[in-house]
Amino acid sequence: IQLRSPTATDGAPVHNLIRKSAFLDDNSLYCYLAICTHFSTTSVVATMGEDVVGVVTAYIPPEQPDTLFVWQVAVDTVAQKRGLASKMLNYILEQAACKAVRFVETTVTKDNDASRAMFASLARRRHCDIEESVMFDREEHFLNLHDTEYKLRIGPFAAAE
């Protein structure tokens, strides 16, 4: 399995991978084309041969230059049980674009045990805490159409040298 920054040609394979996930919201193909282009330095794809088998989409919010916001993480069933999600996240954090990053944020629902475990593992590896709070409430933000998304804030950890 090879890790690399995504390009525009990864947009469709990333979209297809996201659509197969039980926990991730499917966005438009255009959205993934934009992410693979505009946020390529803070995202990663994992490939086996020519196939995209993993992706982490992330960005640094303009108002929080010390924070990497992880938007979506997906690993195809053929590549699961290899710690690939953690490896992809580490790959991003090692990139030059993340040299000032001291926090990782993401949102998860209460029932997304796999994502929660991966981010707890990151906190353990980085020797830091996780703060949890409501980011988008089921009633207030999602009109009861989606479960509450809880923000996990991991850090602070040492920024890259």
Side-chain angles (χ1 to χ4, degrees):
I1 296 178
Q2 301 295 316
L3 303 181
R4 62 174 172 76
S5 296
T7 64
T9 57
D10 294 312
V14 165
H15 185 226
N16 290 334
L17 180 61
I18 298 292
R19 289 170 46 190
K20 292 195 280 186
S21 172
F23 281 99
L24 298 177
D25 293 328
D26 174 25
N27 296 281
S28 71
L29 173 56
Y30 184 89
C31 177
Y32 294 106
L33 289 167
I35 287 169
C36 288
T37 304
H38 292 205
F39 300 118
S40 64
T41 61
T42 54
S43 297
V44 63
V45 291
T47 59
M48 289 177 69
E50 298 296 313
D51 298 325
V52 172
V53 296
V55 64
V56 175
T57 59
Y59 60 91
I60 297 173
E63 297 81 21
Q64 294 177 277
D66 66 346
T67 302
L68 179 73
F69 185 86
V70 176
W71 180 38
Q72 290 185 308
V73 177
V75 176
D76 196 312
T77 54
V78 301
Q80 289 179 352
K81 308 293 184 201
R82 300 177 191 206
L84 183 56
S86 292
K87 289 175 186 171
M88 290 189 293
L89 190 52
N90 287 339
Y91 175 91
I92 293 170
L93 290 169
E94 292 167 2
Q95 301 307 304
C98 292
K99 68 181 180 209
V101 168
R102 298 185 62 232
F103 296 91
V104 170
E105 289 184 352
T106 193
T107 64
V108 294
T109 55
K110 279 289 186 198
D111 61 346
N112 191 338
D113 295 331
S115 284
R116 286 177 172 277
M118 185 199 60
F119 287 105
S121 174
L122 174 66
R124 283 191 304 275
R125 288 192 317 274
R126 297 282 177 143
H127 308 287
C128 54
D129 296 324
I130 299 178
E131 295 176 10
E132 183 169 340
S133 60
V134 172
M135 184 158 180
F136 299 119
D137 180 74
R138 177 182 178 92
E139 293 177 17
E140 183 179 355
H141 301 106
F142 288 120
L143 306 174
N144 288 315
L145 300 173
H146 188 288
D147 289 340
T148 296
E149 290 277 351
Y150 294 88
K151 178 173 74 173
L152 303 181
R153 182 169 171 83
I154 302 155
F157 47 82
E161 295 300 317

